[in-house]
Amino acid sequence: MLHVAPKGRKHLSADALFRLVYRGFDHLPDYRPPDADITLTDALMSAFARFSLKAPSLLAFDKERTAGNLPTIYGIERVPCDPHMRALLAPVSPASLRPVFQSVVTQLQRGHALTPMAFFDDHYLLALDGTGYFASKTMHCASCLRKVHRNGAITYSHQLLGAAILHPDVRAVIPLRPESMVHQDGPAKNAWERHAAKRFIVTLRQDYPHLQFIVTEDSLSANAPHIETLRTQGLRYILGVKEGDHAYLFRQVQAAAQAGRVTSYERYDRAAGRVHRFRLINDVPLNASNTAVRVNCIASWEVGDEKEQHCSWVTDLPVHRRTVYRLMRGGRARWKIENETFNTLKNQGYRVAHNYGHGQQHLSVGLATVMMLAFLVDQTQQRCGALLQAVWAKLGSKRLRWERLRAWFYTSALASMRQLLEALFYGVQKPAPIFAGDST
Ligand SMILES: [Zn+2]
């Protein structure tokens, strides 16, 4: 057991990352006159602090805004009240936050914290998936997605295309800036996802030109136009395929198997008591109308004592016996964007599905983007912050961690997040309050 608080990498500490985020916000153009009472930086940093501290709601955060260590730990000079914060953030374009995400990822790279997450041939595995976080029959804004029901009623919603760098053997995920699907993308889910994915991929290449990615997605994305977008932007892929959606492809593979043109391979996992069976074939047409789009195909069966799991993928990476197990794990790691990213955001304090006041203009999407930034900083901490890891291991339950952290944050004068984490690490007891005056 550790007795001295671990030091960790200084420029990846919570305090260094908060300063980095603050500087990033400070570089965004303020659309208001220079003598505005509260700066845009303070408003953005206040929203970031709410998600970073996992305050139960913006209202709860608002009630305590004058207490605690927002100036010392988050650098916020003046915290706007809740309605003022919403008004300040509404005009901010979520895309303008790109450089802030970039600066955190660059810091991870500089600290060599990203390198161990390389998955295959110096490529990072990048999972993309859509998720909804808001739906209403009455409240809406200009960018809300609209679903018109048969009776004429409309459901308004917001959905994001989330993206995260992940690795089958690494717990932390590194979320990138999500792309929001907007009303202007078209009338149906397929069009929303397709357009958002295109925007995301183009900006991904601009933001991280030196990183190489293998994109992993579900079977909706295994279509010729999307594969063409990935190819032209220099991205590799492992995409799920289903017999129901890709009947032609499955028939081609079946015919090839009957003609003895597929490779079969088995691998025993003795420790887990399972066997993995694979059928692989390179260079088959994706579908009848796009025979020029050729893909490599993996069919995998995992057989355990009680159940059998079957999945298939297409990829542009050559598949053979030596690589197929690793590629299969890459395809299956996609579940982490559901489990480790979206579920964390929904259930562990960020409360993505909670309505933070829908607001006008970009407020809803902007808050969701700031929340993802706070999640990126948390995940960086989880991956690199030795002190945070030690504190979390000591406190156990996730709820307890954030409750204890907030209790210290709001009731003690602290100089830094490191000081707060040290107090939690050493289990410092708070002294009884001393009052001037006679209480007898
Ligand atoms: Zn909206």
Side-chain angles (χ1 to χ4, degrees):
M1 175 144 180
L2 287 167
H3 294 292
V4 178
K7 285 261 184 282
R9 283 173 266 192
K10 218 171 179 182
H11 61 285
L12 289 169
S13 68
D15 294 302
L17 290 166
F18 293 168
R19 281 195 295 274
L20 190 70
V21 168
Y22 184 94
R23 281 201 301 276
F25 287 155
D26 210 30
H27 274 102
L28 302 180
D30 197 334
Y31 58 91
R32 295 159 320 127
D35 59 348
D37 56 345
I38 291 181
T39 64
L40 191 60
T41 308
D42 274 355
L44 282 160
M45 204 62 199
S46 299
F48 176 85
R50 177 268 166 250
F51 296 118
S52 172
L53 289 165
K54 318 287 171 292
S57 66
L58 276 185
L59 201 65
F61 180 75
D62 191 47
K63 277 186 183 159
E64 295 182 296
R65 74 192 157 98
T66 52
N69 293 279
L70 290 169
T72 47
I73 293 184
Y74 290 94
I76 305 168
E77 248 173 71
R78 290 186 63 198
V79 187
C81 67
D82 186 48
H84 197 175
M85 188 206 291
R86 289 163 199 263
L88 288 174
L89 297 187
V92 178
S93 155
S96 69
L97 301 176
R98 269 169 72 184
V100 196
F101 279 84
Q102 256 176 302
S103 66
V104 178
V105 175
T106 305
Q107 199 77 324
L108 271 160
Q109 272 182 284
R110 277 195 199 129
H112 303 288
L114 212 52
T115 319
M117 289 186 79
F119 168 69
F120 190 90
D121 241 356
D122 294 332
H123 284 64
Y124 294 95
L125 200 56
L126 181 72
L128 302 184
D129 202 2
T131 189
Y133 67 94
F134 166 85
S136 169
K137 290 240 186 299
T138 52
M139 242 189 295
H140 57 93
C141 70
S143 59
C144 261
L145 301 168
R146 286 149 211 214
K147 188 178 174 189
V148 183
H149 301 277
R150 275 188 196 158
N151 63 1
I154 301 176
T155 301
Y156 301 95
S157 69
H158 278 282
Q159 295 193 28
L160 293 174
L161 181 77
I165 296 174
L166 41 84
H167 189 286
D169 300 325
V170 178
R171 178 78 202 271
V173 298
I174 306 297
L176 303 183
R177 188 185 68 86
E179 185 64 54
S180 96
M181 302 178 203
V182 290
H183 171 56
Q184 294 75 8
D185 283 335
K189 191 173 174 359
N190 281 357
W192 304 339
E193 287 211 1
R194 198 172 62 241
H195 286 104
K198 224 175 199 173
R199 278 197 300 278
F200 174 83
I201 286 167
V202 170
T203 53
L204 173 80
R205 287 286 50 152
Q206 292 166 354
D207 291 351
Y208 309 102
H210 303 300
L211 291 184
Q212 303 195 80
F213 294 106
I214 300 170
V215 172
T216 175
E217 295 175 80
D218 66 15
S219 73
L220 282 180
S221 60
N223 61 71
H226 184 64
I227 286 177
E228 185 55 18
T229 304
L230 294 169
R231 196 187 61 77
T232 52
Q233 295 295 332
L235 300 170
R236 313 304 295 261
Y237 59 82
I238 304 173
L239 309 173
V241 280
K242 283 184 182 163
E243 195 159 1
D245 301 335
H246 301 87
Y248 179 83
L249 175 76
F250 278 74
R251 278 202 306 275
Q252 298 303 304
V253 174
Q254 189 62 35
Q258 279 162 1
R261 289 190 288 111
V262 299
T263 303
S264 297
Y265 171 63
E266 267 190 14
R267 179 182 168 129
Y268 291 93
D269 182 347
R270 286 187 208 289
R274 291 185 200 127
V275 60
H276 293 275
R277 294 202 177 99
F278 297 101
R279 218 154 72 166
L280 36 130
I281 182 166
N282 290 296
D283 196 28
V284 283
L286 179 71
N287 56 41
S289 50
N290 292 284
T291 48
V293 180
R294 318 274 304 182
V295 292
N296 308 326
C297 198
I298 301 171
S300 130
W301 291 262
E302 181 183 338
V303 187
D305 283 343
E306 288 168 6
K307 60 175 186 177
E308 180 177 307
Q309 213 181 340
H310 174 51
C311 300
S312 299
W313 296 274
V314 291
T315 174
D316 61 338
L317 295 154
V319 289
H320 37 78
R321 288 192 176 98
R322 199 163 42 79
T323 56
V324 69
Y325 180 73
R326 209 150 27 123
L327 297 179
M328 174 276 287
R329 292 197 72 212
R332 283 177 59 162
R334 196 189 66 78
W335 67 268
K336 278 171 170 263
I337 195 160
E338 277 286 328
N339 267 39
E340 304 286 321
T341 310
F342 298 151
N343 287 351
T344 304
L345 295 175
K346 279 171 187 162
N347 307 325
Q348 290 177 23
Y350 303 87
R351 294 160 195 255
V352 64
H354 192 88
N355 174 20
Y356 287 112
H358 188 245
Q360 296 297 313
Q361 291 170 282
H362 306 296
L363 183 66
S364 178
V365 182
L367 284 174
T369 309
V370 172
M371 180 193 58
M372 197 64 93
L373 180 65
F375 182 56
L376 168 62
V377 169
D378 284 345
Q379 290 288 293
T380 304
Q381 284 287 287
Q382 190 177 313
R383 173 130 187 80
C384 310
L387 176 57
L388 185 91
Q389 287 165 6
V391 169
W392 272 190
K394 184 176 172 167
L395 292 179
S397 120
K398 281 179 181 155
R399 221 181 96 195
L400 188 66
R401 295 169 184 179
W402 295 112
E403 277 175 9
R404 289 275 169 83
L405 189 138
R406 278 199 304 275
W408 273 93
F409 185 87
Y410 283 113
T411 55
S412 304
L414 298 160
S416 64
M417 187 56 96
R418 174 154 190 100
Q419 212 178 34
L420 194 163
L421 291 173
E422 280 178 348
L424 290 171
F425 177 81
Y426 289 114
V428 177
Q429 294 292 317
K430 288 193 184 142
I434 302 164
F435 300 106
D438 191 353
S439 60
T440 53

